[in-house]
Amino acid sequence: MLGLMQDWPLLIHRVIDYAATQHPHRAVISRSVEGPMRRTTYHDVRLRALKLAQRLARDGVKLGDRIGTLAWNTDRHLESWYGITGIGAIYHTLNPRLFEEQLIYIANHGGDKMIFLDLTFVALAEKLAPHLSAVERYVIFTDAAHMPKTTLKNAVAYEDYISEVDGDFQWREFDENTAAGMCYTSGTTGHPKGVVYSHRSNVLHAMSVMMPDSLCLSSRDTVMPVVPLFHANSWSLAFSAPMAGATLVMPGAKLDGESVFNIIETENVSVTAAVPTVWLGLLQYLESTGQRLTKLKRVAIGGSACPRAVTEAFEQKYGVEVIHAWGMTEMSPIGSFCTLKPEVADLKGTALYDLKQKQGFAQFTVDMKITDDDGKILPWDGKTFGRLKVRGPAVSKAYYGLDEAILDNEGYFDTGDVATIDEHGYMNITDRAKDVIKSGGEWISSIDLENVAVGHPDVAEAAVIGIAHEKWGERPLLIIVRKKDRQPTKEDILKFIEGKIAKWWMPDDIVFVDDIPHTATGKISKKNLRDKFKDFRFS
Ligand code: AMP
């Protein structure tokens, strides 16, 4: 017997319809690429998204067509996602921090028919364009007054583009499993791989991100996704914030510590989210200026392990709750949040921050397990580590255009991370499987070592890689960027680390560098470091 409830497919346009109905005047505030702040509302975002949908339909854009976006977090970028998906086309985020060859590969492989882009990226797009033969038109997120001279094919200013229609348009209806978005993830080897989100997966995922033990979003929050829309589906905030009816602040192109601080304070941001590098920048700005955070309540930190020093500084110095989050592009992207179950809610001091180092427990819609290399399930005891595998309605089952099978016989996807899970369900990433340092048959977590090192008051950033060792196979090398005008020695740092980790985890050497390379999504690039130090030998 089937249930007798209505057929109400989980389509993305329902999110913006809901926000515009229940929260029509809630503000959507953006730092525009042209400079000034722009203020709009969910009512207007919906209206303009409808206009875009209407205009795209008039241009012959059909169900399943891919439209690239090469842009910062702004209201225009946001409404383009709703407009594109509202007719069953697919937003395809292009990360401008990737190399040109990668962008060309991604846009071609994804089959982009049009590209929407910011003014900042016109020069970049002009270099890519000769290699993107399928792209029929470029739409620049600006108005006629700021429209640059460009060689881009059929280039048009976004404001002109949508002004040719009146918005009297119905969203298209289709199956909720229809593709909605695409984001390529770069592995360390081979070409980037296309992850394809559906309407249903994005809606379910956004609901799971709003929940109280997740980001706990409500209409009383002011949410600022610092994490770019082009990084892993904006951690769902482009959907979950409107779904919650939260005020939305889009920070545009300026993501340095001072700019992030200013926008948090002037726009009363209560919840924000980004990778640790952004927060290291903000904390350094606060430290050097003596400024205080007066508005912020919660900050979600993920994408790579959040250093303990960052959690402690936010919570103890500035009174901002840190929610450590973990996930990956293939998971829409969030798989766990480190919020407090009653079993651990009374923890204080060191024990609390030990817990907050963990990546947390899976939210509803994410099944998790850890296994050994043969697929045997390992216990949740907080000590045994194994390969972390996940399944759920917002987890990938395949990559776009690739035949390779990526699920095990129970339908789980191998994340490539190595983790423990404790008796309360809190998962702790030991490392990426390929970054873990294999010393004498035992494993050393590069993440744990980095976390301890970055707690030294003179250290700005730390990275650990394994270096070949005759006797042990591999041993850890600690790479340090010192804070400005500070000169800690190797001995200072070794003394600081000693006692905080097992003796045999102590790095065999330390090198000081001016900067550590980052990937296009702001993580430490272990691959580049391994290349750079490939000839390094411990003396
Ligand atoms: P991406 O798909 O580029 O977002 O990368 C996903 C990978 O980032 C995961 O598989 C993890 O290795 C890493 N990652 C994400 N969040 C965290 C976290 N909180 N702690 C440690 N690693 C993380």
Side-chain angles (χ1 to χ4, degrees):
M1 179 163 102
L2 292 178
L4 293 176
M5 292 296 129
Q6 297 179 8
D7 193 13
W8 196 85
L10 301 175
L11 298 177
I12 286 171
H13 63 247
R14 297 198 190 284
V15 175
I16 200 67
D17 282 353
Y18 172 79
T21 306
Q22 291 296 338
H23 307 278
H25 308 301
R26 200 81 60 231
V28 175
I29 302 156
S30 305
R31 196 199 299 277
S32 70
V33 171
E34 294 87 350
M37 299 301 286
R38 282 168 57 87
R39 287 171 195 277
T40 176
T41 61
Y42 283 132
H43 171 272
D44 288 356
V45 167
R46 175 177 178 274
L47 183 62
R48 287 161 53 88
L50 272 169
K51 283 187 170 187
L52 176 60
Q54 187 179 13
R55 184 69 179 83
L56 288 170
R58 211 177 87 183
D59 257 10
V61 174
K62 307 177 302 300
L63 189 86
D65 281 347
R66 274 81 71 197
I67 300 194
T69 67
L70 187 62
W72 300 108
N73 290 9
T74 64
D75 55 327
R76 287 176 176 137
H77 193 181
L78 178 80
E79 65 199 27
S80 77
W81 280 23
Y82 284 100
I84 291 166
T85 54
I87 54 165
I90 301 167
Y91 62 86
H92 176 200
T93 50
L94 301 170
N95 181 342
R97 296 178 183 140
L98 290 170
F99 294 119
E100 287 165 24
E101 308 86 77
Q102 286 172 309
L103 283 168
I104 291 167
Y105 173 83
I106 290 170
N108 281 332
H109 191 264
D112 295 352
K113 190 171 172 177
M114 289 173 81
I115 291 185
F116 283 61
L117 68 152
D118 273 336
L119 280 171
T120 345
F121 303 123
V122 170
L124 171 63
E126 283 175 345
K127 282 200 234 159
L128 306 178
H131 309 280
L132 306 181
S133 49
V135 176
E136 292 163 8
R137 160 160 250 176
Y138 292 81
V139 180
I140 302 178
F141 282 130
T142 193
D143 53 19
H146 293 88
M147 187 65 184
K149 270 210 161 56
T150 171
T151 56
L152 291 172
K153 194 166 167 188
N154 293 322
V156 58
Y158 177 76
E159 296 297 336
D160 286 349
Y161 189 63
I162 61 172
S163 71
E164 288 173 23
V165 288
D166 57 8
D168 183 12
F169 186 75
Q170 295 285 316
W171 303 119
R172 298 279 147 82
E173 292 288 325
F174 34 80
D175 189 284
E176 64 182 14
N177 289 302
T178 302
M182 248 180 161
C183 180
Y184 275 67
T185 179
S186 19
T188 39
T189 53
H191 283 305
K193 294 174 180 169
V195 173
V196 184
Y197 309 111
S198 68
H199 282 255
R200 173 185 157 82
S201 69
N202 272 339
V203 171
L204 287 174
H205 183 62
M207 292 171 81
S208 81
V209 166
M210 283 164 63
M211 293 193 295
D213 276 339
S214 301
L215 276 189
C216 190
L217 299 184
S218 81
S219 55
R220 293 168 298 287
D221 281 311
T222 298
V223 177
M224 178 169 75
V226 175
V227 53
L229 270 72
F230 57 73
H231 177 198
N233 212 21
S234 76
W235 296 8
S236 119
L237 292 168
F239 308 116
S240 48
M243 197 183 266
T247 300
L248 196 55
V249 177
M250 303 296 257
K254 292 192 178 162
L255 305 178
D256 60 286
E258 181 174 2
S259 305
V260 169
F261 171 76
N262 285 335
I263 197 166
I264 288 174
E265 288 298 306
T266 52
E267 302 302 341
N268 296 320
V269 171
S270 62
V271 182
T272 179
V275 292
T277 330
V278 169
W279 305 123
L280 285 170
L282 174 67
L283 290 171
Q284 277 169 32
Y285 172 76
L286 296 176
E287 201 181 307
S288 64
T289 58
Q291 297 271 21
R292 312 284 309 166
L293 289 163
T294 60
K295 310 289 166 57
L296 196 60
K297 292 194 198 120
R298 291 191 293 292
V299 53
I301 307 185
S304 48
C306 176
R308 189 183 187 107
V310 169
T311 310
E312 290 184 351
F314 268 121
E315 298 212 341
Q316 296 172 352
K317 253 176 139 170
Y318 301 107
V320 175
E321 181 192 354
V322 169
I323 301 178
H324 195 183
W326 165 86
M328 59 196 316
T329 308
E330 288 89 334
M331 297 180 71
S332 294
I334 301 190
S336 67
F337 292 93
C338 194
T339 50
L340 302 183
K341 293 187 185 181
E343 292 83 344
V344 296
D346 293 334
L347 292 177
K348 300 259 173 322
T350 309
L352 175 65
Y353 290 106
D354 286 347
L355 180 90
K356 287 199 158 221
Q357 281 303 105
K358 300 188 178 187
Q359 281 73 5
F361 59 98
Q363 75 270 27
F364 177 65
T365 67
V366 178
D367 292 344
M368 231 178 223
K369 67 178 179 183
I370 44 172
T371 77
D372 66 13
D373 285 344
D374 299 326
K376 194 177 122 239
I377 295 200
L378 297 172
W380 289 19
D381 60 10
K383 291 195 282 286
T384 312
F385 48 80
R387 306 182 77 94
L388 178 63
K389 299 179 181 173
V390 289
R391 70 176 178 196
V395 178
S396 298
K397 62 179 175 190
Y399 292 106
Y400 178 64
L402 292 183
D403 276 342
E404 70 181 284
I406 60 169
L407 306 184
D408 71 9
N409 55 10
E410 290 182 311
Y412 280 80
F413 169 78
D414 189 335
T415 64
D417 288 331
V418 175
T420 61
I421 304 181
D422 72 16
E423 65 274 30
H424 302 309
Y426 285 80
M427 182 273 289
N428 192 8
I429 304 267
T430 308
D431 229 327
R432 288 295 291 164
K434 56 188 177 307
D435 294 339
V436 82
I437 295 147
K438 297 176 183 95
S439 173
E442 302 276 358
W443 286 7
I444 298 175
S445 157
S446 67
I447 292 184
D448 285 358
L449 256 176
E450 287 159 6
N451 267 333
V452 174
V454 92
H456 188 289
D458 297 337
V459 170
E461 201 171 14
V464 173
I465 54 169
I467 296 283
H469 190 285
E470 262 184 31
K471 181 165 172 203
W472 301 109
E474 265 183 353
R475 290 294 302 159
L477 171 69
L478 174 58
I479 301 156
I480 297 265
V481 180
R482 298 173 171 117
K483 278 192 186 158
K484 203 164 157 254
D485 304 328
R486 310 278 178 86
Q487 291 298 327
T489 62
K490 279 186 196 181
E491 290 66 36
D492 294 335
I493 289 170
L494 288 172
K495 211 160 137 211
F496 176 83
I497 297 174
E498 219 176 315
K500 296 189 174 74
I501 49 164
K503 239 189 178 144
W504 63 274
W505 281 33
M506 287 296 285
D508 282 29
D509 204 350
I510 299 180
V511 288
F512 295 99
V513 293
D514 290 338
D515 56 73
I516 283 177
H518 290 96
T519 66
T521 50
K523 303 173 194 210
I524 291 173
S525 173
K526 296 279 169 91
K527 181 175 175 278
N528 286 12
L529 282 176
R530 278 192 285 265
D531 285 351
K532 184 167 170 191
F533 288 96
K534 67 179 187 310
D535 299 325
F536 184 94
R537 292 290 167 266
F538 295 116
S539 47

